[in-house]
Amino acid sequence: MEILKQVPKSVLFLYAHNEEADKNLTQEAIKRGVDLARLIFGSRLPPAEYLARYKVADLFLDTFPYNAGTTASDSLWVGVPIMTRQGETFASRVASSLLNAIDLPERITKTTREYGALASSFGSSPETLQALRDRLDQNKLTTPLFDTVTFARNLEQLHFTAHVQARSGHGFQTIRLISG
C-alpha cells in the first residue's frame, strides 16, 4: 500500500484465488487510503493467456516471507523484471536464486524499507525500468536460468555419477558438479 501511495499512477495486479484474500486486501487498501480501483484481482487462466497477462506489467513485486517460484520465473521469461526481499529461510530465498541465476542480483533487497524504496524508484523512473527490461532480455538467453540444455546435461551427469556410486557399494556420498 505504501508503494501504491508513493507511485500515484500505479496499480497492483494480484492473483487472488479466495474471497478471504480479496476481502483482507480490500480492507487494507481502505484503511490506508488507497483507491480500490488501483487493486486488480486476476483469476486462473489457460497457460497462453496467463503468460500474455504478464506483458501489461512493468514490475513483478515478489511476496515475503514466501517468495514466488514458478510465477517469478514466468515473469522473467516473458520479460517482466522482478524484485524480491530475501530472508533466511528456503521459502524466502527462491526469487533471490532466480535473480542470481539471471545475473540481476541488484533486484534483491534485505529489508522492507529497501524493498519499498526500490519499487518506488522504478515507478518514478521509466528510463531505469526500461534499462532493466533491456538487460533482462539480454540475460535471459545468456545466463544459466533458462539454459535447459546445460541443465539437462548436468542433471544427466549427476544421475550417472549417483548410479556409479550406488553400484560401487561405497554408500552415500555427496556429489558435486563442477561446470565451467
Side-chain angles (χ1 to χ4, degrees), residues 130-148:
Q130 185 57 52
L132 177 59
R133 283 179 167 277
D134 294 343
R135 189 164 158 226
L136 171 58
D137 285 341
Q138 178 183 358
N139 290 7
K140 184 168 74 170
L141 301 174
T142 60
T143 57
L145 184 60
F146 297 114
D147 184 355
T148 54

Side-chain angles (χ1 to χ4, degrees), residues 98-135:
L98 295 171
L99 286 166
N100 281 316
I102 201 159
D103 196 23
L104 293 170
E106 68 279 4
R107 306 295 71 146
I108 302 168
T109 64
K110 304 288 185 186
T111 67
T112 301
R113 184 179 302 260
E114 282 179 25
Y115 183 89
L118 184 60
S120 296
S121 74
F122 284 122
S124 61
S125 178
E127 303 82 21
T128 303
L129 189 57
Q130 185 57 52
L132 177 59
R133 283 179 167 277
D134 294 343
R135 189 164 158 226

Side-chain angles (χ1 to χ4, degrees), residues 139-178:
N139 290 7
K140 184 168 74 170
L141 301 174
T142 60
T143 57
L145 184 60
F146 297 114
D147 184 355
T148 54
V149 171
T150 300
F151 176 81
R153 187 178 319 118
N154 290 343
L155 185 59
E156 288 168 353
Q157 182 60 48
L158 289 170
H159 286 174
F160 176 76
T161 302
H163 175 73
V164 169
Q165 283 184 358
R167 296 212 24 127
S168 71
H170 290 103
F172 175 78
Q173 295 177 345
T174 300
I175 302 171
R176 299 199 193 290
L177 176 66
I178 310 289

Side-chain angles (χ1 to χ4, degrees), residues 39-104:
L39 297 183
I40 301 169
F41 296 99
S43 59
R44 185 176 294 270
L45 293 173
E49 292 175 47
Y50 158 78
L51 289 172
R53 180 165 58 189
Y54 277 92
K55 296 283 188 178
V56 300
D58 291 321
L59 185 64
F60 182 105
L61 299 175
D62 191 25
T63 55
F64 184 86
Y66 299 102
N67 287 178
T70 303
T71 53
S73 182
D74 291 341
S75 181
L76 292 169
W77 179 250
V78 299
V80 178
I82 68 170
M83 53 171 289
T84 190
R85 176 175 167 210
Q86 180 180 350
E88 297 299 319
T89 64
F90 172 80
S92 65
R93 299 175 74 86
V94 175
S96 297
S97 294
L98 295 171
L99 286 166
N100 281 316
I102 201 159
D103 196 23
L104 293 170

Side-chain angles (χ1 to χ4, degrees), residues 1-2 5 23-36 39:
M1 297 302 156
E2 291 301 316
K5 287 165 75 174
K23 179 181 150 197
N24 289 340
L25 289 165
T26 299
Q27 286 176 348
E28 196 62 29
I30 292 168
K31 179 175 138 184
R32 294 178 183 258
V34 173
D35 182 358
L36 294 182
L39 297 183

